[in-house]
């Protein structure tokens, strides 16, 4: 072959390869462009939401003006009064606009109080996480008077902060509308133009964050690496019943605020750090060592959306239940404690002591004030609200170790005098206190592990003789004539494999009931090695419970379940199963009559029939059919 022919063939091959390469690159480039520019259609398209938070009507008027403009441009928005909106639907929204006024003392108008409270509780509840609203963009326009100085547009700023804290991306910072300067309409007009530009950009790009007419610097990406790292450190694993949020760092409280000794040498249990933490989480502090908090299940049943597991297992009325504690202190530092171990600890009472009557009076007063705040919330009827204002039950299990309080007997007697039932929980480190305990409606002992090593690893007790104290507490339980309960918290990989060891503990305390609950995971933690692998499914809890019942050879059977709380109840068959029917519920009126009589009585004297819907295996899964179930939109599948 001649050299010229080889040269021509080489040139043709080169040109062919080059042509192929550029065609390939061109097609690939077009494909990438299409991927980045083609609108992404959401699975469940939703209209944007335009909220007006108004007291005198100004914000409503402004919002209606903007809504008319958006509608004229063909932009799909719903005009929303927050009193008619379910805030649990916020995670489904993609674009939210808020026109908000500030009312007395920097607070929102009554119509928006529940909406604002929901955002606050979610943003401060570390189990919710900082990505709840990560698919949502928002903007807030504040309407107020600069004459109020510090509280000027406080509501608008607070809503912005809470939305950002839950992962929503703020399109541009809060804009202040001042009714005092005569420029309100002009400022709102400018804000409206920017909002329209964002909305048009969203429609044009199918949700891609490229907005027409708005600079890229106006966007907030909703978080950075430092924020993620802080969230990871502060997350925690908690028991399903413990409802709490993140408390402030110790560094956020003035270090000069120390807990000085009083004239009698005693200290206040609630230090400034603890007070700031608990109050931020919604707790109401009573005196120097007690607290009360409205439970989410109380709110749920007030709204007709179902009660807690104690409603299913024992027939309490969740909307009439007060959750409180006379002692925030504890003798353990459990791995699933939500308080990050900033709570007071001690082996004995060493603090100033408040009067038990004052504690009860203040607890009821604060509780009823929180109930009154539920007025006007969607689903809350006048009848249920009125009932809720008269508490009939008290769960002495909020935080800490209630039985440490030296006047616990007097406090319980005062509750019973008012015909308020008592469910008292102890962490099994004070057996002498259990022995001295006068009758309560139901006495719990937390049984977090079945062996000495696992109990030490999980509860991290202060006492060196913690195991002996634990066993003595179980023994003391057996001597009680009223209803007794072992409360097991399952943590996979820590205490779920010790079925034989757990069963051996049954003979020591011979409890009437055994509650078996799971823990819920809320992220990694600097103080805990627990991960999602340690969290049991409800099916795991059921299997564990059935195995324990089988081990007892008929002494205990699985009686009830509350699937929503991942909780199952074992009950003694010879006491609470009569002619094939369970009697795990409580006749509360009979209990109070027995207490008032002053005569000895036992758990058999005040038991009541369990309804069919609460029995284990029922189709309802422990959900009261008289309530209305609200199902959240979920994007994950249950193992079951």
């Amino acid at each position: 072959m001649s050299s010229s022919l080889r040269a021509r063939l080489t040139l043709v091959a080169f040109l062919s390869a080059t042509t192929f390469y550029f065609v390939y690159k061109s097609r690939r480039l077009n494909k990438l462009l299409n991927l980045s520019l083609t609108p992404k259609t959401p699975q469940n398209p939703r209209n944007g939401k335009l909220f007006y938070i108004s007291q005198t009507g100004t914000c409503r008027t402004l919002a209606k003006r903007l809504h008319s403009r958006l509608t004229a441009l063909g932009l799909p928005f719903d005009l929303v009064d927050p009193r008619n909106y379910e805030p649990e639907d916020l995670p489904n929204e993609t674009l939210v606009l808020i026109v908000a006024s500030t009312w007395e003392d920097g607070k929102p108008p009554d119509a928006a109080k529940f909406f604002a409270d929901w955002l606050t509780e979610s943003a401060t509840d570390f189990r919710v996480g900082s990505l709840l609203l990560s698919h949502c963009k928002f903007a807030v326009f504040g309407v107020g008077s600069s004459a109020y100085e510090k509280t000027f547009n406080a509501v608008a700023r607070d809503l912005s902060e809470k939305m950002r804290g839950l992962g929503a991306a703020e399109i541009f910072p809060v804009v202040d509308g001042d009714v005092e300067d005569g420029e309100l309409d002009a400022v709102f007009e400018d804000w409206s133009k920017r909002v329209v530009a964002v909305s048009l950009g969203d429609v044009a790009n199918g949700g891609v964050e490229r907005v027409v007419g708005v600079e890229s610097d106006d966007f907030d990406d909703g978080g950075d690496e430092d924020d993620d790292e802080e969230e990871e450190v502060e997350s925690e694993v908690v028991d399903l019943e413990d409802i709490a949020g993140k408390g402030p760092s110790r560094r956020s409280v003035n270090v000069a605020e120390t807990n000085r000794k009083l004239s009698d040498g005693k200290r206040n249990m609630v230090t400034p750090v603890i007070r700031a933490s608990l109050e931020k989480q919604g707790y109401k502090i009573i005196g120097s060592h007690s607290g009360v908090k409205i439970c989410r299940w109380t709110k749920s049943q007030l709204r007709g959306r179902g009660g807690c597991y104690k409603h299913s297992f024992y027939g309490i009325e969740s909307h009439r239940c007060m959750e409180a504690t006379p002692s925030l202190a504890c003798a353990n530092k459990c791995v699933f404690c939500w308080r990050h171990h900033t709570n007071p600890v001690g082996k004995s009472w060493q603090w100033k002591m408040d009067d038990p009557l004052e504690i009860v009076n203040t607890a009821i007063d604060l509780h009823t004030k929180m109930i009154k705040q539920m007025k006007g919330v969607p689903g809350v009827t006048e009848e249920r609200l009125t009932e809720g204002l008269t508490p009939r039950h008290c769960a002495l299990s909020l935080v800490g170790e209630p039985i440490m309080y030296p006047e616990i007997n007097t406090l319980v007697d005062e509750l019973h005098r008012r015909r308020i039932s008592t469910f008292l929980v102890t962490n099994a480190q004070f057996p002498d206190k259990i022995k001295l305990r006068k009758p309560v409606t139901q006495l719990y002992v937390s049984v977090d592990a079945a062996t000495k090593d696992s109990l030490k690893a999980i509860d991290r007790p202060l006492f060196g003789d913690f195991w002996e104290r634990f066993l003595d507490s179980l023994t003391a339980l057996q001597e009680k004539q009223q209803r007794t309960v072992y409360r097991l918290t399952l943590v996979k990989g820590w205490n779920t494999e010790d079925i034989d060891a757990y069963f051996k503990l049954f003979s020591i305390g011979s409890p009437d009931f055994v509650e078996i609950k799971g823990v819920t995971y809320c992220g990694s933690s600097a103080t805990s090695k627990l991960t999602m692998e340690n969290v049991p499914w409800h099916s795991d809890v059921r299997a564990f419970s059935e195995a324990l019942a089988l081990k007892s050879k008929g002494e205990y059977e699985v009686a009830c379940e509350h699937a929503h709380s991942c909780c199952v109840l074992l009950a003694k068959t010879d006491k609470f199963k009569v002619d094939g029917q369970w009697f795990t519920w409580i006749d509360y009126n009979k209990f109070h009559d027995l207490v008032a009589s002053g005569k000895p009585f036992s758990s058999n004297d005040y038991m009541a029939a369990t309804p069919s819907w609460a029995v284990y295996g029922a189709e309802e899964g422990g959900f009261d059919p008289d309530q209305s179930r609200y199902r959240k939109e979920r994007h994950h599948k249950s193992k079951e």
Side-chain angles (χ1 to χ4, degrees):
M1 183 181 297
S2 67
S3 59
S4 61
L5 178 60
R6 283 197 300 270
R8 284 196 295 272
L9 289 175
T10 300
L11 179 61
V12 169
F14 173 76
L15 291 174
S16 298
T18 302
T19 301
F20 175 80
Y21 173 77
F22 280 110
V23 168
Y24 167 77
K25 292 292 286 184
S26 177
R27 288 180 177 178
R28 180 168 176 78
L29 179 61
N30 286 333
K31 185 176 181 181
L32 290 172
L33 288 173
N34 286 335
L35 284 174
S36 62
L37 297 178
T38 301
K40 299 176 183 179
T41 304
Q43 294 181 348
N44 298 300
R46 297 174 68 90
N47 291 352
K49 295 295 185 294
L50 172 54
F51 290 89
Y52 60 85
I53 295 175
S54 188
Q55 183 71 30
T56 62
T58 302
C59 287
R60 181 173 65 247
T61 300
L62 293 174
K64 284 184 175 180
R65 185 188 306 170
L66 175 57
H67 186 253
S68 296
R69 174 180 292 185
L70 293 167
T71 301
L73 292 171
L75 297 170
F77 271 84
D78 297 328
L79 187 63
V80 181
D81 182 342
R83 79 172 79 227
N84 302 319
Y85 181 79
E86 174 52 68
E88 290 181 0
D89 289 333
L90 265 179
N92 300 320
E93 309 296 355
T94 55
L95 183 56
V96 169
L97 308 175
I98 303 175
V99 184
S101 65
T102 299
W103 198 231
E104 296 176 351
D105 300 322
K107 297 177 181 178
D110 291 340
K113 188 177 186 309
F114 182 69
F115 179 83
D117 286 348
W118 184 92
L119 278 174
T120 298
E121 290 178 5
S122 299
T124 56
D125 188 337
F126 68 97
R127 297 171 303 169
V128 173
S130 59
L131 298 177
L132 182 69
L133 305 183
S134 59
H135 298 296
C136 178
K137 291 185 288 185
F138 76 100
V140 183
F141 184 86
V143 178
S145 170
S146 56
Y148 287 98
E149 298 179 345
K150 290 183 179 181
T151 61
F152 175 47
N153 282 334
V155 170
R157 300 181 194 284
D158 187 63
L159 291 172
S160 169
E161 178 186 350
K162 298 305 186 295
M163 293 279 286
R164 283 185 280 112
L166 291 169
E170 191 168 32
I171 300 167
F172 30 75
V174 174
V175 173
D176 289 324
D178 188 358
V179 297
E180 302 294 338
D181 63 7
E183 300 293 329
L184 178 62
D185 285 344
V187 175
F188 184 74
E189 176 68 16
D190 180 65
W191 184 77
S192 297
K193 289 179 180 178
R194 299 176 73 188
V195 163
V196 168
V198 171
S199 303
L200 287 171
D202 273 0
V203 171
N205 295 289
V208 177
E209 294 186 8
R210 181 170 66 86
V211 180
V212 178
V214 180
E215 297 296 331
S216 60
D217 289 342
D218 287 332
F219 288 94
D220 183 351
D221 63 5
D224 54 30
E225 292 182 1
D226 291 339
D227 291 337
D228 292 340
E229 182 178 348
E230 181 179 351
E231 176 65 27
E232 180 175 317
V233 170
E234 291 191 350
S235 296
E236 190 62 90
V237 176
V238 298
D239 186 274
L240 288 173
E241 190 180 50
D242 294 331
I243 312 299
K246 284 186 286 189
S249 165
R250 286 179 178 270
R251 290 171 295 179
S252 68
V253 179
N254 188 345
V255 294
E257 293 181 313
T258 58
N259 189 20
R260 297 185 180 92
K261 286 187 178 181
L262 305 175
S263 57
D264 60 359
K266 300 289 185 180
R267 296 178 183 271
N268 287 328
M269 181 186 293
V270 179
T271 66
V273 171
I274 296 169
R275 181 178 292 275
S277 175
L278 293 177
E279 287 181 346
K280 182 176 181 180
Q281 298 159 24
Y283 286 78
K284 306 299 182 184
I285 305 303
I286 303 168
S288 65
H289 54 73
S290 307
V292 64
K293 188 177 190 293
I294 188 170
C295 174
R296 68 185 179 104
W297 287 110
T298 300
K299 296 179 182 179
S300 177
Q301 197 157 26
L302 277 171
R303 303 178 71 190
R305 292 188 170 187
C308 73
Y309 77 93
K310 292 191 288 292
H311 173 62
S312 302
F313 295 176
Y314 315 118
I316 75 157
E317 300 169 282
S318 298
H319 67 301
R320 306 184 76 180
C321 183
M322 176 176 70
E323 197 168 15
T325 181
S327 172
L328 295 164
C330 189
N332 291 339
K333 291 189 174 185
C334 303
V335 295
F336 44 74
C337 177
W338 59 265
R339 285 160 290 173
H340 314 293
H341 314 298
T342 60
N343 59 298
V345 292
K347 298 179 181 180
S348 62
W349 190 270
Q350 52 190 291
W351 303 277
K352 172 189 173 183
M353 187 173 67
D354 297 329
D355 180 74
L357 181 58
E358 290 182 6
I359 294 173
V360 172
N361 285 335
T362 308
I364 293 175
D365 180 56
L366 293 173
H367 175 78
T368 53
K369 286 180 179 178
M370 289 186 280
I371 294 292
K372 288 178 182 177
Q373 293 172 0
M374 294 293 292
K375 185 176 182 179
V377 171
V380 177
T381 65
E382 193 67 33
E383 178 184 6
R384 279 196 292 265
L385 187 68
T386 301
E387 290 176 343
L389 292 174
T390 307
R392 293 269 59 92
H393 316 282
C394 182
L396 293 165
S397 61
L398 187 61
V399 290
E401 176 61 272
I403 209 168
M404 283 183 70
Y405 176 53
E407 293 293 331
I408 185 66
N409 273 336
T410 306
L411 184 141
V412 168
D413 288 344
E414 180 60 27
L415 290 168
H416 290 169
R417 188 184 68 79
R418 302 173 191 227
R419 298 184 75 83
I420 297 175
S421 67
T422 51
F423 281 35
L424 176 65
V425 180
T426 175
N427 291 320
Q429 289 297 291
F430 297 94
D432 292 340
K433 295 282 188 181
I434 295 176
K435 293 174 184 177
L436 296 172
R437 179 57 255 137
K438 293 170 69 174
V440 294
T441 312
Q442 192 153 279
L443 179 60
Y444 286 75
V445 169
S446 293
V447 181
D448 298 328
T451 65
K452 183 176 181 178
D453 289 342
S454 58
L455 187 69
K456 183 176 183 180
I458 291 176
D459 281 1
R460 294 190 281 194
L462 269 64
F463 286 107
D465 58 344
F466 68 91
W467 184 245
E468 291 73 21
R469 286 175 169 270
F470 174 73
L471 296 179
D472 288 345
S473 294
L474 300 187
T475 302
L477 204 69
Q478 189 175 36
E479 300 171 3
K480 297 298 175 182
Q481 296 301 307
Q482 288 70 51
R483 293 162 66 107
T484 58
V485 186
Y486 279 6
R487 180 181 175 187
L488 276 60
T489 301
L490 295 188
V491 186
K492 288 178 68 175
W494 290 64
N495 61 5
T496 56
E497 307 300 324
D498 300 327
I499 291 179
D500 288 341
Y502 270 117
F503 177 68
K504 289 179 181 178
L505 297 179
F506 283 17
S507 61
I508 300 175
S510 189
D512 290 329
F513 304 100
V514 181
E515 287 179 6
I516 304 170
K517 305 181 66 179
V519 294
T520 189
Y521 176 71
C522 308
S524 56
S525 166
T527 59
S528 174
K529 298 178 181 179
L530 302 183
T531 70
M532 274 299 297
E533 296 298 319
N534 302 118
V535 180
W537 296 83
H538 185 56
S539 57
D540 297 326
V541 176
R542 286 170 58 110
F544 184 91
S545 304
E546 291 172 358
L548 264 181
L550 185 64
K551 196 76 178 176
S552 75
K553 297 181 179 180
E555 182 181 1
Y556 292 88
E557 290 183 14
V558 187
C560 305
E561 68 178 322
H562 191 250
H564 189 103
S565 296
C566 195
C567 188
V568 171
L569 179 72
L570 302 185
K572 268 195 169 183
T573 52
D574 63 345
K575 277 189 175 184
F576 301 100
K577 196 171 189 182
V578 181
D579 297 329
Q581 182 179 2
W582 284 111
F583 282 75
T584 67
W585 275 36
I586 296 172
D587 186 333
Y588 292 98
N589 286 327
K590 184 68 176 297
F591 170 79
H592 291 302
D593 291 342
L594 290 167
V595 170
S597 72
K599 299 178 181 178
F601 63 96
S602 69
S603 56
N604 297 88
D605 295 326
Y606 57 101
M607 65 184 189
T610 309
S612 60
W613 55 264
V615 173
Y616 186 69
E619 182 180 354
E620 294 85 352
F623 187 88
D624 188 342
D626 289 336
Q627 303 282 300
S628 298
R629 179 168 292 186
Y630 180 82
R631 296 185 182 275
K632 296 180 182 178
E633 182 177 332
R634 300 189 184 278
H635 302 285
H636 62 274
K637 295 181 179 180
S638 168
K639 182 180 178 181
E640 293 185 288

